[in-house]
């Protein structure tokens, strides 16, 4: 388990260094109307391999690691299917909003914090 973590962290470090010159793409979740009409922020983001209706949710690469809880990140690569991100809300009638990521060769996407909400996805 520790070797896997070291390899993964080395890969992320290498990827970040390789992409340092390029600006990452930032994808955001908009506020959504809550049940009482108030606007609510997304509580988090899920990443899917293919359209979310196909239920192919990707587990974050650091999901098994108790020491690294946030931010969640996904190592990515070329794919024949599109990647989608889904904004997850609480206290709304419409619990999620789904968006297709641009067809780019992202190597990593990270769920980042905006204030106290995890409503942004940074992809490099």
């Amino acid at each position: 388990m520790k070797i896997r973590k070291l390899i993964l962290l080395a890969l992320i470090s290498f990827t970040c260094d390789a992409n340092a010159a390029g600006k990452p793409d930032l994808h955001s979740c908009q506020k959504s109307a809550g049940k009482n009409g108030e606007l609510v922020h997304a509580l988090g983001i899920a990443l899917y391999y293919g359209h979310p209706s196909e239920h192919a949710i990707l587990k974050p690469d650091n999901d098994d690691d108790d020491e690294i809880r946030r931010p969640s990140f996904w190592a990515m690569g070329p794919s024949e299917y599109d990647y989608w991100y889904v904004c997850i809300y609480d206290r709304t009638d419409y619990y999620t909003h789904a968006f297709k990521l641009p067809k780019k060769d992202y190597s990593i996407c990270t769920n980042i914090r905006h204030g106290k909400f995890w409503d942004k996805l940074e992809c490099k």
Side-chain angles (χ1 to χ4, degrees):
M1 181 66 129
K2 290 185 180 187
I3 292 174
R4 180 176 172 253
K5 184 188 334 181
L6 290 173
I7 291 170
L8 190 56
L9 291 174
L11 175 63
I12 292 167
S13 176
F14 175 76
T15 302
C16 291
D17 290 344
N19 290 325
K23 186 176 179 183
D25 290 340
L26 191 62
H27 307 281
S28 300
C29 296
Q30 302 301 318
K31 291 180 182 178
S32 184
K35 290 182 180 178
N36 296 327
E38 79 280 10
L39 290 177
V40 296
H41 289 272
L43 299 177
I45 294 177
L47 198 62
Y48 286 77
Y49 185 67
H51 191 275
S53 65
E54 297 171 7
H55 305 287
I57 191 167
L58 296 172
K59 184 177 173 181
D61 290 315
N62 61 335
D63 196 47
D64 288 337
D65 190 348
D66 291 335
E67 294 175 32
I68 305 174
R69 294 315 281 161
R70 289 286 184 176
S72 295
F73 65 88
W74 298 264
M76 303 175 66
S79 168
E80 63 182 277
Y81 299 102
D82 293 319
Y83 288 104
W84 287 70
Y85 73 96
V86 174
C87 303
I88 302 165
Y89 298 87
D90 187 23
R91 297 179 297 140
T92 62
D93 289 327
Y94 189 62
Y95 292 103
T96 62
H97 295 290
F99 302 94
K100 183 168 54 171
L101 288 174
K103 196 74 166 171
K104 292 187 176 181
D105 289 333
Y106 293 127
S107 57
I108 190 167
C109 284
T110 306
N111 188 189
I112 61 173
R113 183 184 294 241
H114 173 243
K116 62 181 178 178
F117 304 102
W118 296 94
D119 60 353
K120 298 203 181 303
L121 186 69
E122 180 181 75
C123 297
K124 300 176 186 179

